[in-house]
Every structure is written in structure tokens, then in C-alpha cells.
Amino acid sequence: MLELSFIIPTYNRHQIVLKTIETIRKQYPDAEIIVVDDGSRDNTENEIKKRKDLKIVYLKNQINQGKGVSLRKGFEVASGRFIIFTDDDLPYGIEGIDLIIKALKDGHSIVMAERDRFYDNLIKKIGRKIFNSVFKTFLGIKIKDTQAGLKGFSQETGKKIFALSFTNRFAIDLEIVFLCQKLHYPIRFVSVRQQDTSPSSLSLSNLFYIFLDTLKIKFHHYELS
């Protein structure tokens, strides 16, 4: 069995995702890299298809549908013993990925990055306080950081969790943690340092949609076993 699969959702950032692919390939030459293009209108598709790399799997949403949709597509086709997803700008570097892989190899089925600090302006700070005090509290989630864009799973566990998920956009990370709690799956956290300060996906304009998804998560009838 292939050991590692990386899933990278991306949208309109072909130069950034190509750099991330190069970095991952250099460190993990035998890994499967699954790029899920969320309806990009830039040159992402052409640039990735030009690469002569048989271990790159390119998937594309015909319209922009969100991170949740992209991750489900990636997990459905991933063949690695361990499946890791990361933001397309690799904000926690190879160092963060190494920590995730080590914990997975040590026997943990779910490993999530937890940021040691946040790079927030005033708007982001307000949004984060609302996020933590309302959404996470409503779902009974007490962990410090659900939104770090670096998480790893054993194949069986990751495929099961993402097959049960249904949210399409910003709340997918919340839903994954919620499902882990519902299934009584322990989560191993590793502390990471954010290396890139590009804008966070969490903003005040997104909070309404996260609120709606949070309600859906809370009252969705998951078929758990």
C-alpha cells in the first residue's frame, strides 16, 4: 500500500499551489499528491497537467463549491495508508507535516495541527471570538484550534469521517471535529508555528454562513456506527 497521500484544495492560486507541490515532492518523493481545484479560472489546470508526474492526481469542481466538497472528493480517491490535507500555501511548512506524520506512525488515527499563535488584525480577532464563544460552544467543542489547515488521518478513519460529512464550505473543519467527538475518536494535537500570514478564510462576512452550517451540523442525523 502507498504510504502517504496529500490532499491540497485550491482556488485561483496556481503559482502558490505549484510551489507547494514542489516542496512536498522534494521531501516525500513517493507520495501521492491530490490537487482538488475548486473551479479556478486561472491557469491552475494547464500548469498542473503540464507536469510529468504520474503521482499527481488532479480533480476539478466545475464551479466553486467550497473546501468541504473538495476534501470529500480528495478522500474518496486517496490511496495512501495515511491521508493528510493541507492549505495550498503550506502555512505550517514541512516541519508541521513531519509532526503530523510522526504522530500517525506512532499509532494515532487522527492528528490535527494546533497553532501556537494567531496572526489576527482587529476584524479577525472579533470573528475568532464569535467563532469560539458561539459556534464551538453550540457544538460542544472545547479544543483550542479547529481551523488550522493541516490535519492527518489513517486511511480507514479519514475515509469514514469524510464520507459522513456534508458541509461544503467554511464549517468543514468544525464538522470533522464534531464527528470525531460523536464517534468517540481521540484526536492527537501537535503544536505548529504558522509560517505564512496570508489572509484567513475566517471573516465577518463568512460568519453568517458558518452559523447556518453550525445549525445543520448540530441537528443533522448522522448514521453513525
Side-chain angles (χ1 to χ4, degrees):
M1 178 187 289
L2 184 72
E3 184 169 56
L4 291 174
S5 291
F6 291 94
I7 301 172
I8 309 172
T10 190
Y11 177 64
N12 281 346
R13 304 215 295 179
H14 74 271
Q15 292 180 326
I16 289 172
V17 76
L18 287 172
K19 182 178 179 181
T20 292
I21 290 170
E22 293 289 350
T23 301
I24 291 175
R25 178 59 75 226
K26 182 178 179 180
Q27 186 71 14
Y28 310 104
D30 297 323
E32 174 182 61
I33 300 175
I34 303 167
V35 178
V36 189
D37 179 350
D38 195 15
S40 294
R41 298 178 181 177
D42 65 359
N43 209 31
T44 299
E45 182 171 1
N46 290 336
E47 289 296 325
I48 290 178
K49 287 184 175 180
K50 280 196 299 188
R51 292 181 56 94
K52 305 300 182 182
D53 188 332
L54 297 178
K55 290 180 182 175
I56 291 181
V57 178
Y58 176 77
L59 305 174
K60 184 169 185 177
N61 302 330
Q62 292 307 306
I63 59 172
N64 183 258
Q65 295 179 277
K67 180 179 177 181
V69 173
S70 298
L71 288 177
R72 277 193 292 278
K73 284 188 176 182
F75 271 85
E76 186 176 348
V77 304
S79 58
R81 177 184 170 205
F82 304 122
I83 305 173
I84 297 165
F85 74 78
T86 179
D87 289 344
D88 62 4
D89 56 355
L90 206 66
Y92 312 108
I94 290 298
E95 296 82 2
I97 290 176
D98 285 343
L99 291 172
I100 296 285
I101 293 173
K102 181 180 185 303
L104 288 169
K105 288 184 175 180
D106 285 344
H108 300 281
S109 294
I110 304 168
V111 186
M112 299 186 181
E114 185 177 67
R115 288 165 284 189
D116 63 354
R117 67 184 68 181
F118 298 98
Y119 297 96
D120 288 348
N121 57 28
L122 179 60
I123 297 297
K124 291 180 187 176
K125 285 180 180 179
I126 294 171
R128 194 173 300 283
K129 285 184 181 296
I130 295 172
F131 190 89
N132 289 333
S133 62
V134 178
F135 305 137
K136 285 165 64 173
T137 300
F138 183 66
L139 294 177
I141 294 173
K142 297 179 180 179
I143 68 172
K144 172 185 174 184
D145 186 9
T146 60
Q147 301 308 110
L150 177 60
K151 296 176 172 65
F153 305 81
S154 67
Q155 184 188 110
E156 180 180 0
T157 301
K159 284 180 177 288
K160 179 175 182 177
I161 289 172
F162 277 89
L164 288 168
S165 72
F166 70 93
T167 54
N168 292 340
R169 293 188 177 274
F170 306 106
I172 184 63
D173 292 279
L174 269 179
E175 185 182 18
I176 294 311
V177 174
F178 181 76
L179 277 168
C180 290
Q181 294 183 167
K182 293 275 284 186
L183 292 163
H184 305 290
Y185 287 168
I187 302 172
R188 170 70 171 175
F189 290 95
V190 295
S191 180
V192 297
R193 174 155 297 185
Q194 189 169 345
Q195 298 183 1
D196 178 53
T197 58
S198 59
S200 168
S201 61
L202 179 62
S203 66
L204 292 182
S205 63
N206 295 331
L207 292 178
F208 175 70
Y209 298 101
I210 298 175
F211 171 69
L212 292 180
D213 278 342
T214 301
L215 289 175
K216 294 175 186 177
I217 292 168
K218 179 71 172 181
F219 299 111
H220 187 75
H221 296 289
Y222 296 99
E223 296 181 5
L224 305 178
S225 60

